[in-house]
Amino acid sequence: MRIVLVGPPGAGKGTQAAFLAKNLDIPHISTGDLFRANISQGTELGLKAKAFMDAGDLVPDEVTIGMAKDRMEQDDAVNGFLLDGFPRNVAQAEALDVVLKAEDMQLDAVLDLEVPEDEVVKRIAGRRICRNDSSHVFHVSYNAPKSEGVCDVCGGELYQRDDDSEETVRRRLEVYHTQTEPIIDYYRAQNLVVTISALGKVDEVTARAMDALKK
Ligand code: AP5
Ligand code: MG
């Protein structure tokens, strides 16, 4: 299956993607995680991305599209993938269509996670992620690690993302509404969008998502 996950910052895309990717046996491809890995490795791409991310703005398309395409072309993605945080504007959605068309492939679904803004703010305020791998995501009260400050998956140190400050979150939400939400209409025109509520416990949302994808 080829799936795009869409939803505001803090909706739970990364959290759900980990379970959905496992259930569906496809790789979880998060452009945010790819950027954060590049930043921690000090690559040129990471250096380019950091200032945009810290400001809550989108990293320019010429950097992002190439990186996403390279990742989608890796061996583990030949039979499908779950995209988290890409595409994030209409130009990226059009670029993805070009990549897929060239390989005679199509998307199966665009899963839209709906969450009220006050919940998103609470989720982001308590989020902690792992230094070793930013796809290991926790929350101090909603999804607490077994041992405070320590990643359940790999034992790494948990920390708060640099772009999770109140001011940056406000900007990220604004960018979501103006630049990312239009892709939902873009995909509605292709009849691909399934919208679910992302409220409730993590496993309840996963079950809802799996149900929606089966249809
Ligand atoms: P990215 O890393 O993609 O961030 P985002 O879209 O803002 O989304 P988040 O990761 O903040 O939220 P999420 O939905 O994954 O929520 P999570 O599962 O962590 O992008 C970061 C930046 O990179 C962008 O601002 C941009 O600069 C750049 N970038 C990335 N992709 C780009 C692109 N394509 N083009 C240009 N620039 C790009 O959950 C949040 C919290 O809630 C966690 O603490 C979790 O434990 C908790 N939680 C999850 N589910 C539940 C639940 N059901 N109940 C209670 N708590 C829950
Ligand atoms: Mg995420």
Side-chain angles (χ1 to χ4, degrees):
M1 277 188 111
R2 294 183 181 83
I3 301 165
V4 168
L5 260 184
V6 65
K13 299 182 295 296
T15 303
Q16 289 306 323
F19 294 104
L20 296 174
K22 207 167 161 200
N23 287 350
L24 299 165
D25 196 24
I26 47 178
H28 166 207
I29 300 181
S30 155
T31 40
D33 289 343
L34 290 171
F35 284 133
R36 281 183 288 275
N38 273 278
I39 290 170
S40 66
Q41 288 155 17
T43 68
E44 199 179 317
L45 191 147
L47 280 175
K48 274 187 199 152
K50 188 166 187 340
F52 294 98
M53 292 175 77
D54 286 349
D57 287 322
L58 295 188
V59 179
D61 290 346
E62 53 270 30
V63 178
T64 307
I65 292 168
M67 178 185 75
K69 183 168 180 280
D70 285 350
R71 179 61 189 89
M72 284 185 278
E73 283 169 357
Q74 284 173 25
D75 289 347
D76 64 340
V78 283
N79 293 321
F81 45 69
L82 178 59
L83 296 177
D84 158 13
F86 181 87
R88 231 181 172 93
N89 60 26
V90 171
Q92 292 181 12
E94 287 169 348
L96 175 61
D97 275 348
V98 172
V99 171
L100 293 171
K101 208 165 170 200
E103 301 292 328
D104 211 15
M105 297 186 306
Q106 289 165 13
L107 290 176
D108 295 290
V110 174
L111 185 65
D112 167 32
L113 300 183
E114 214 169 49
V115 198
E117 206 141 299
D118 57 340
E119 175 68 14
V120 150
V121 171
K122 283 188 226 158
R123 288 185 183 185
I124 291 182
R127 170 166 50 196
R128 298 292 181 273
I129 65 164
C130 177
R131 279 261 176 240
N132 296 338
D133 184 335
S134 72
S135 72
H136 303 162
V137 183
F138 302 87
H139 188 283
V140 289
S141 40
Y142 301 149
N143 184 17
K146 291 193 185 85
S147 167
E148 198 189 317
V150 181
C151 177
D152 287 356
V153 185
C154 71
E157 181 203 355
L158 299 181
Y159 76 106
Q160 194 158 22
R161 260 168 56 175
D162 292 345
D163 60 346
D164 278 352
S165 69
E166 201 187 316
E167 192 193 343
T168 311
V169 170
R170 227 178 290 126
R171 173 66 190 150
R172 282 162 55 204
L173 281 166
E174 191 182 309
V175 168
Y176 179 73
H177 293 311
T178 55
Q179 301 191 49
T180 307
E181 266 179 352
I183 72 168
I184 299 176
D185 280 335
Y186 177 88
Y187 286 127
R188 259 197 202 115
Q190 299 181 25
N191 214 8
L192 287 171
V193 179
V194 243
T195 301
I196 63 161
S197 162
L199 285 175
K201 293 202 183 102
V202 171
D203 57 346
E204 290 168 356
V205 180
T206 309
R208 211 175 285 147
M210 288 300 293
D211 237 33
L213 290 173
K214 272 181 209 142
K215 289 173 196 152

